[in-house]
Amino acid sequence: MRLRRTTRRRLVRGALYAAFVAALIVVVLAADWQRFAQYFLQWDIAREQFPEIITIALKNTLVFTVVSFVGGLLVGTLMALMKLSSIRPYRWFATAYIELFRGLPALLTIFAFAYMLPIAFGVKLPFAPVGAGLLGLIVVAGAYMAEVIRAGIQAVPKGQTEASRSLGMSPLKTTFFVILPQGLRIIIPPLTNEFVLLLKDTSLLFIAGSTIFTKELTTFARDATTTNSNGTVLVMAAMLYLLVTIPLTRVVAYLERRMARAR
């Protein structure tokens, strides 16, 4: 007997659901949950970390993320404008900057700003070592944001520039008061996504070193894990990351849907 197309689709979909549920059951039954709880879910250890994991680690993570995002946005805007400039040396510098810091791992860039530059130039960066690490993170974020911002600026219709100039606005005023605001509005979803990535990249600041009051979530959890010989705080840190990143990713998805409808 030949099945109808809709019936075959339902059967295939049902088989896929059944396979997924079966795989999930196998994973759940195969795990040694008692041993897992012994090494990663100890209530006494979790209770000892409050409130510091919130008031110090999570707070520092959010502060570092906001600082590196704002700094990256400023650097990225400058690099994007330089890359779109009609002056060749500016374009060459911006291209070299973007290619260099997008090509290097963020960990190495942070290491360079924290240890190599102070030795090379004999200067101590402000708020070191975290300040030096943040500067490295800003430089990396700026390289990635520059390309996003450049795409946003180029997406603004040329008629906007022509209309502004015909009204007597200078090229500088046209860029900052007409083109940039529209370009930044277009790229809100990818910028929000960059914020989420930066939130996770703050975990790389451990390479620059930290004090007890400048630990972000990952460093805080790693040190507590070493002290207690137990991974409970790592699980807590992971849950706090998810508590922040999941709502942000939902915001990105909402903004993308809204902008898609607007088009």
Side-chain angles (χ1 to χ4, degrees):
M1 183 177 63
R2 190 171 182 178
L3 297 175
R4 295 172 57 187
R5 180 178 296 178
T6 53
T7 306
R8 288 202 303 271
R9 284 180 181 172
R10 286 175 184 169
L11 288 174
V12 170
R13 187 177 299 174
L16 291 174
Y17 277 122
F20 176 78
V21 172
L24 194 62
I25 291 172
V26 168
V27 170
V28 170
L29 293 179
D32 186 346
W33 293 110
Q34 188 174 1
R35 192 178 180 195
F36 180 84
Q38 179 184 352
Y39 285 98
F40 295 102
L41 298 174
Q42 289 296 312
W43 173 246
D44 291 340
I45 294 175
R47 194 171 50 189
E48 288 175 2
Q49 304 307 318
F50 282 104
E52 286 80 7
I53 195 169
I54 302 292
T55 58
I56 295 177
L58 180 60
K59 183 203 74 176
N60 285 339
T61 297
L62 295 175
V63 169
F64 296 160
T65 304
V66 170
V67 169
S68 54
F69 180 81
V70 173
L73 188 62
L74 294 174
V75 173
T77 303
L78 178 63
M79 289 299 120
L81 293 175
M82 288 176 70
K83 193 164 184 179
L84 293 171
S85 171
S86 58
I87 302 173
R88 287 185 179 179
Y90 284 5
R91 290 206 309 271
W92 294 340
F93 178 84
T95 302
Y97 173 92
I98 292 168
E99 294 300 325
L100 175 65
F101 291 109
R102 287 204 313 172
L104 286 174
L107 189 67
L108 289 184
T109 304
I110 294 171
F111 180 84
F113 274 84
Y115 299 107
M116 297 170 70
L117 288 185
I119 292 174
F121 295 99
V123 295
K124 188 176 181 181
L125 295 172
F127 306 107
V130 169
L134 276 176
L135 192 57
L137 205 55
I138 287 171
V139 167
V140 175
Y144 282 96
M145 287 189 195
E147 287 298 80
V148 175
I149 295 169
R150 182 175 65 86
I153 292 173
Q154 289 178 322
V156 177
K158 290 184 179 178
Q160 296 289 321
T161 304
E162 295 167 358
S164 303
R165 297 302 303 278
S166 66
L167 291 174
M169 294 182 72
S170 67
L172 197 62
K173 284 185 177 179
T174 300
T175 300
F176 282 96
F177 296 111
V178 178
I179 304 302
L180 268 181
Q182 295 186 64
L184 289 175
R185 191 176 63 182
I186 292 171
I187 58 174
I188 284 176
L191 283 182
T192 310
N193 198 42
E194 185 65 29
F195 186 88
V196 175
L197 295 175
L198 274 175
L199 180 79
K200 292 183 284 186
D201 281 350
T202 56
S203 63
L204 301 175
L205 291 175
F206 80 91
I207 195 71
S210 60
T211 68
I212 190 171
F213 298 108
T214 59
K215 291 179 181 177
E216 35 68 44
L217 269 175
T218 301
T219 305
F220 184 94
R222 187 195 59 191
D223 291 351
T225 299
T226 304
T227 303
N228 297 295
S229 300
N230 188 282
T232 299
V233 189
L234 283 175
V235 175
M236 295 169 66
M239 292 175 69
L240 288 172
Y241 274 119
L242 292 175
L243 194 66
V244 178
T245 57
I246 288 178
L248 283 174
T249 53
R250 292 297 89 202
V251 169
V252 173
Y254 168 76
L255 291 173
E256 287 177 341
R257 287 197 302 271
R258 185 174 176 181
M259 294 192 72
R261 284 200 299 269
R263 293 191 194 103

